[in-house]
Amino acid sequence: MGESTMPVAVVTGASRGAGRGIAAALASHGWRVYGTGRGIDAAPDWGVGVQVDHRDDDAVGEFFDRLTRDEGRLDLLVNNAAAISDDLVGPEPFWRRPRALAAVLDVGLRSSYVAAWYAAPLLVEQDRGLIAFTSSPGSVCYMHGPAYGAQKAGTDKMAADMAVDFGGTGVATVSIWMGILLTERMRDAFDGAPDALASFAAHAETPEFTGHLIDALFCDPELPARSGRTVIAAELAREYGITDDGGRVPPSHRDMLGAPREPSTVVVRG
């Protein structure tokens, strides 16, 4: 097929939660969206769903081969897929919780590298490109244990280092700290308690919120200056004048949870 005339985005981990919300928000801004996931619907209302297991590098490569055939371009990659377990939340030290929690270092960190590796040749063919990583303050504070923290810290560092390699290509990389997400699963947890849900929602972000921010980032003429940086979603929203449901701007938790680390300007090669 010929090259698409619409900007093309890939959102990994789009089966549910943040990924599905980001995909829907991007579609509302005119993106042609491909979403990946192990249990994704092939025809979601926001675009094209493709079943991909991000533990399988070859399957990821086959997906990007298909994207090249079908669209001939890629403008945006959102690295969101992550193996998140219910066992992440709990007071026990890591050695008393399932060893399988380390899976987030595979699907979450390594999988983002692999997706970016396949996406990069397509992105650099465009005049402008972006890889957005979804992250959290868990990269600088203790949150859900060492596996989760290492994945988030690694995500932020990956964005910083990929920006160096993408220098001069027109492709930018940004890691975004999302806040507390008001996902379908979280709403279900408040079933029968509407007042508690309303109180929680006042401080939370909808899954679509990050998608609107990513679209604004892509369109920002100052995007190259942000490349390699980690940003807090709520603070970026204030800068861009973007609100969430009901005209809210969710709060930044910088004072309570910490601030993104500033990447060093030193580059060591060879």
Side-chain angles (χ1 to χ4, degrees), residues 77-117:
L77 169 64
V78 181
N79 268 322
N80 172 74
I84 301 298
S85 166
D86 290 341
D87 292 316
L88 275 175
V89 179
E92 294 293 323
F94 75 91
W95 65 90
R96 292 179 183 163
R97 287 193 273 172
R99 185 182 61 193
L101 292 184
V104 75
L105 299 174
D106 186 16
V107 180
L109 186 57
R110 186 180 183 281
S111 63
S112 291
Y113 182 95
V114 171
W117 188 87

Side-chain angles (χ1 to χ4, degrees), residues 22-135:
I22 291 168
L26 290 172
S28 76
H29 290 286
W31 289 84
R32 177 141 172 85
V33 181
Y34 282 73
T36 66
R38 285 192 295 169
I40 199 164
D41 183 347
D45 56 10
W46 43 257
V48 181
V50 183
Q51 290 192 355
V52 177
D53 185 344
H54 281 273
R55 297 172 298 182
D56 185 339
D57 296 350
D58 291 338
V60 176
E62 289 167 5
F63 163 72
F64 280 99
D65 286 344
R66 170 186 167 174
L67 184 75
T68 302
R69 293 192 304 270
D70 291 355
E71 301 295 338
R73 69 182 294 166
L74 179 64
D75 303 270
L76 168 65
L77 169 64
V78 181
N79 268 322
N80 172 74
I84 301 298
S85 166
D86 290 341
D87 292 316
L88 275 175
V89 179
E92 294 293 323
F94 75 91
W95 65 90
R96 292 179 183 163
R97 287 193 273 172
R99 185 182 61 193
L101 292 184
V104 75
L105 299 174
D106 186 16
V107 180
L109 186 57
R110 186 180 183 281
S111 63
S112 291
Y113 182 95
V114 171
W117 188 87
Y118 281 113
L122 281 168
L123 289 166
V124 298
E125 289 180 3
Q126 306 303 312
D127 293 333
R128 186 181 190 81
L130 172 63
I131 299 180
F133 299 81
T134 58
S135 188

